[in-house]
Amino acid sequence: VLFDLDGTLADTVPLIAQHISDTLNAHGIACTPRDVYPLIGRPIVDAMNELHEFASDGARMESVIVEYRAALHEAVNAAGTELVLPGVRAMLRELREAGFGVGVVTAKGGPQAEHLLTITELRDLVDVLVSTDDVDRGKPAPDSALLGMERLGAVAAETWYVGDAMSDMEMALAAGMRAMGITTGAATREELAGAGAEVVVDAAAQVTDLIVG
């Protein structure tokens, strides 16, 4: 079983939306948290280019990303284990106890993903971590999901990908996986279903029920 991270295992979607919005505003770029939600789950460079036409001003975009990541890092440190969504720790333990390999495939950069998993004390419950830094093409391209399955030794048709964003569902389908949406993050039930989710759940406990039985 492969999972998204932000909005699926950790309740970070509101923090991400707020800090991206605040950082862009500080640079004179109009943005609200609601503008960010549809882009959560995609690599940060792609999201920034959707929110503002940086054109050839790569240095300005890099400055915005660095400031945003620093602000989010502080917010994650302040919240710590409180960011773990209800039932997630038990879900991961139960899946592993049932013999399932567990991986995280995220649009975050590698250091940011490692930090979030460590600060929330979830790292030891995850066998494999794939970040955007590990592939040439991030979500919704299938590259990171395919790499996650390769590292787990998993077969696409027998592997679930669980995520809260439309890009998660799109990536899972492109990789030939079974797509499960969860409504704890960026997208609504209707949006997840429309993006191709085979099933949509509302809580971590339902993931275990469906997969383990």
Side-chain angles (χ1 to χ4, degrees), residues 8-213:
T8 300
L9 303 181
D11 189 18
T12 44
V13 166
L15 290 178
I16 291 169
Q18 188 64 57
H19 285 291
I20 287 178
S21 174
D22 288 349
T23 307
L24 286 170
N25 290 166
H27 282 257
I29 300 167
C31 180
T32 68
R34 180 46 57 186
D35 295 331
V36 180
Y37 269 73
L39 302 171
I40 289 177
R42 294 176 58 185
I44 186 62
V45 171
D46 295 347
M48 286 294 183
N49 276 320
E50 287 284 341
L51 291 166
H52 179 71
E53 180 54 67
F54 283 95
S56 59
D57 196 354
R60 186 184 186 199
M61 182 171 68
E62 181 60 28
S63 175
V64 170
I65 291 173
V66 168
E67 290 176 28
Y68 151 68
R69 282 179 165 167
L72 182 63
H73 187 91
E74 290 185 14
V76 167
N77 282 345
T81 56
E82 293 178 6
L83 289 172
V84 179
L85 282 158
V88 160
R89 209 177 300 279
M91 172 190 69
L92 296 177
R93 287 190 180 122
E94 289 167 19
L95 287 171
R96 288 161 62 93
E97 288 167 2
F100 289 90
V102 172
V104 167
V105 171
T106 175
K108 297 181 93 63
Q112 292 77 31
E114 286 282 3
H115 174 246
L116 180 55
L117 285 170
T118 300
I119 203 75
T120 53
E121 299 178 5
L122 294 176
R123 189 64 183 91
D124 291 343
L125 297 174
V126 174
D127 302 306
V128 166
L129 170 63
V130 176
S131 76
T132 290
D133 294 343
D134 296 317
V135 293
D136 292 330
R137 300 181 302 164
K139 297 178 184 179
D143 303 36
S144 49
L146 293 170
L147 180 57
M149 287 189 287
E150 179 183 327
R151 290 180 177 176
L152 273 183
V155 177
E158 300 172 357
T159 305
W160 284 97
Y161 187 80
V162 184
D164 66 291
M166 291 182 285
S167 59
D168 294 328
M169 303 301 99
E170 293 163 7
M171 177 192 69
L173 294 178
M177 303 170 69
R178 302 183 73 179
M180 185 186 303
I182 189 164
T183 61
T184 51
T188 64
R189 172 176 290 274
E190 293 74 23
E191 288 170 337
L192 291 165
E198 179 179 335
V199 62
V200 180
V201 299
D202 300 309
Q206 293 174 278
V207 176
T208 314
D209 290 344
L210 278 166
I211 295 176
V212 178

